[in-house]
Amino acid sequence: MSSAIPVLVGGAAGNPGAGLIATLGAFTSRYGIGRPYLSRGLQLAVVAAALAGAVALGAWASAIAWLGVLTVSAVAVTAVWLCNALAVGPPGAYVFVVACAAGIGVSASHLLPWQIALLVLAGGAVAWTLQMLGATTGFRRPERAAVTTAATAVAGFIEAIGTSAQDDARRRAAVALHAAWKTLVHQQPVAAPPRSVLHRLHAANHAVHVVFADAMAAAAAGVPPEPGSAELVRRLGALDVAPESVAARDADRLPPTRPPTSSLLRQALLPGSHTRRVMVRVAIGVPLAGAAAVALGVDRAYWAMATAVLVLHQGTHLSGTLRRGAERLLGTWIGLGLAAVIIVVHPRGVLLALVLALLQFAIEMLVTRNYTLASMFITATALTIASGTRDLSAAEAGHLLLARGVDTLIGCAVGLAVYLLLADRQEADRLVDALARTHSAADAAADHLDRREATSLAARTARRDLQRATLDLLDAYEAARHGQRDQRASAAQLLPEVMAAEQRSYRTIAALWAVDAAPRRR
């Protein structure tokens, strides 16, 4: 819908090219999924403005090839920094780079950069409106979904106790509970009134945490969990059981606060930060991809740069990076055939809007399930927008398709080469550092436990920080386990210590929850 509406409006106004430029603002709808609506509205407004600015920058820099390469590279590094440090969520930095690169392409419209920015902002406004429509029928639906997901994951852990799936189920439950807590606390721009749905969800999530802590304690002791606790948790998540029947929550006490934005941005730049590692890879890989494309005479170097960002920006381990590059390359080359068919048909007006809407729908349905097929539709979408207002000759169409295929090959090759050259050295100490941070967080939390003091803001902040450090430790271990040879050897050597640190963390967290909830247990 966010893609189709600008095309229809542009066609009705007699300027289909302007409508296609405005579809770049439809990328706004890719963000904010699962966030509470107030938080989502704020985030989407910032995203729409940032996309408009990125496109305008690309249009401004389009006249000089080297300036375009530098501009896209600067946008890429900045977007990786902001998106990773502030946990913007998928699709992350990649879309902003695509928008900047597209600005170089749409400069052929001969519109001024500020005019292009306004068109993109108008498309972003359409996407914002459509994304926020759900608030009219279920304002707290995202919070309900987060609590339900967490409760389901905890129930799965309880049912897995004593089986080989216990550890994996516990990690999934911990991640889901942490995500629900962020949704209920960190992503709430304003306080909710007493006795609101949000307060009931807070109480339910608190009760689910208490049951999770009890189950972890039972698992550590080698005894089965309380009978019926899995079903109890599911009913808590559905608000079918009063949370006070498990443990009352003090609604007046302040939750641990989210670190200030400035602090998060500074932390992301510190030595040892994973965001900083990714920024360095992007800062090297993106301009190299652009320079290579320009040197080889490819006239759309920005496609190579966008592909390099796609390969590098998520900061995944070696196996994931190689897989993403291969999926992107294969999907793009398959998508060139679909794009060729669309270019030959050359849809206009309502048919063009319908084609773009169907392509975007296919992308959304496939992007998390089968990225190769999603890349096929992404390629077809990009080329449909690029050629939507022009009748291309067979030679021009062939050149456009070949350029897209070659640029993707260059971007994947450069991105993977940069990763292979940098990642092993960059991440040599990542797992050791994560272990040290986890031990430090566990010591801080244990100090509160030794004093039987778990209800203060400092104690609950220490508990939260320990949970976060433990999740980061597991991420670092997975990265090493799927990394290059030296990393895999380090992961195998440190596995016993990682498991011991994880077990200590969860025992400490469970004990703190038990002390916290004891005075209010029912």
Side-chain angles (χ1 to χ4, degrees), residues 13 62-63 65 102 104 120 127 154 231 241 255 272 304 344 364 391 402 414 432 441 473 512:
S62 62
I104 298 175
V120 176
V154 171
E231 180 59 27
V241 172
V344 168
E364 291 302 317
D391 288 313
L402 179 61
V414 171
V432 174
L473 170 63
L512 283 169

Side-chain angles (χ1 to χ4, degrees), residues 20-25 27 50-64 67-69 71-72 75 94-120 299-303 305-306 382 385-386:
L20 285 171
I21 292 173
T23 61
L24 295 172
F27 283 124
L51 285 173
V55 176
L57 276 174
W60 167 78
S62 62
I64 305 173
L67 183 58
V69 169
T71 300
V72 175
V75 168
Y94 171 64
V95 164
F96 296 99
V97 180
V98 170
C100 184
I104 298 175
V106 302
S107 63
S109 65
H110 304 300
L111 294 173
L112 295 174
W114 67 268
Q115 294 172 319
I116 292 173
L118 287 179
L119 287 172
V120 176
D299 59 357
R300 288 177 172 81
Y302 55 86
W303 281 343
M305 301 173 74
I385 293 174

